[in-house]
Amino acid sequence: MAEQSRRTFLRQVSAGGAVAGAAALVPALLGRGDGTAPARPARPVPHAGPARSAPHRFAAPGVRYAVRVNMPAGTVRQLTATGHRLLMFKAVQSEQSNGGLPVLWSSARTYTTRTELAWTEQYYAFVTAAETPEGARLAGVDLTRVSPGQTLDVGEGARATVIGGGTPGAVTISDTTAMPLSCGLAQPAPEGGGPVPVCALSLAGQGQNVVFPVGQVVLAFAAGPLEPGSVVKSAPGPAIQVDLDRMSPADLSYDVESGWSWDGDFAAVVPADGFVAALVHPAPGVRLGGGAGGGTQVSGIVVRAVREPGSAPGAEPGSAAVGPAAGPLAAAARTGTETGTTITCSLGPDSHVVLHGTYFVEYRRPGRSGGRPGSARSLVRCTSVPAARGGVYTFKKLQR
């Protein structure tokens, strides 16, 4: 009954109540405004974010995101003794992002063996006549509250006015003067306080920049003088990119010896040359870690529940266990994508797949696989479910 109610809610969200549904669901899951904490669910669930038909679901006002960083006590002591901070950067997408740079959004000086960073999406826009090279500090810039779909119209003297008629899902910043400017978005940081810029983009005279907020962040531990609002061009330490539209709250682990680790495909290590690309996306479809999309298209996907040893119909009592077997049909999909470790696909509204459930997935590859042309089968665990109907499910392979 609970699962049926959840699916009914998500269908209502996808039918047009995405932001309102998220606002209603968030207090029940993550805490109330009066400071009281509700009972935690038995396992993490994805936020009820807005449904999107675009290649990437953009963030929206009112959506709650959270990241949890788990560390051994020894790691906490070592990082604290060496003055390391937990830094977080927020991603945006803009087709006019050439030359754009990330800006440090959050810097946590204190942390424990389990640290949660949580915030609710809220947007501000800014323009400045000052240059914004690496190392510049965007402190004291004038911030204007905006919502996706609106335009920040900048006139003489950098006077800004919010008007309608912008790009749906994005904040448009328009320069009606002949003077080139710098611009960007800002958001309130998880630790509280006022909004902090998250990016620094160029804005040509008589031009405009269309900026989409993205539900992705990059985290890193680093020691040094970096403060929120600082323009950064390269990763200040070992960095991880997290897609919160795939999993929120997102659970990560960090160890000074082994680095970042996680369970699922909602995160990726940021390569040394991929820091800017991971945070200032030039176009939809940028893969985690700043690379291009990949994987092999597969078809005829059938997801079945797992029947444990000895539970097969007709099994003799006390018979030897032969391992799990495929059980009843849980879902099906026409096509999907396979990588070396995962299978992703969109499932219908009648899917019986649940987060962290174990399944057998049968599918066909373009070429030969196993004993007959194109056939493949994997034991998998569901590591992420979509926030609304039509989204992507992710399955992590356990064995082949």
Side-chain angles (χ1 to χ4, degrees), residues 231-329:
V231 181
V232 182
K233 189 175 183 178
S234 56
I240 183 172
Q241 183 181 14
V242 185
D243 188 341
L244 296 166
D245 283 322
R246 292 192 177 193
M247 181 67 71
S248 178
D251 276 289
L252 309 169
S253 296
Y254 184 78
D255 186 282
V256 290
E257 299 296 335
S258 56
W260 293 101
S261 61
W262 61 96
D263 185 10
D265 73 341
F266 59 86
V269 171
V270 178
D273 60 350
F275 180 72
V276 173
L279 288 162
V280 185
H281 297 176
V286 174
R287 188 181 178 186
L288 284 179
T296 301
Q297 187 174 36
V298 295
S299 60
I301 298 171
V302 175
V303 183
R304 296 187 181 276
V306 170
R307 181 176 287 127
E308 296 300 328
S311 64
E316 294 292 335
S319 60
V322 293
L329 178 69

Side-chain angles (χ1 to χ4, degrees), residues 5-36:
S5 298
R6 186 182 76 85
R7 292 200 303 272
T8 300
F9 172 78
L10 293 182
R11 284 197 292 271
Q12 292 171 347
V13 170
S14 64
V19 174
L25 180 63
V26 164
L29 292 179
L30 298 177
R32 304 183 180 90
D34 60 6
T36 60

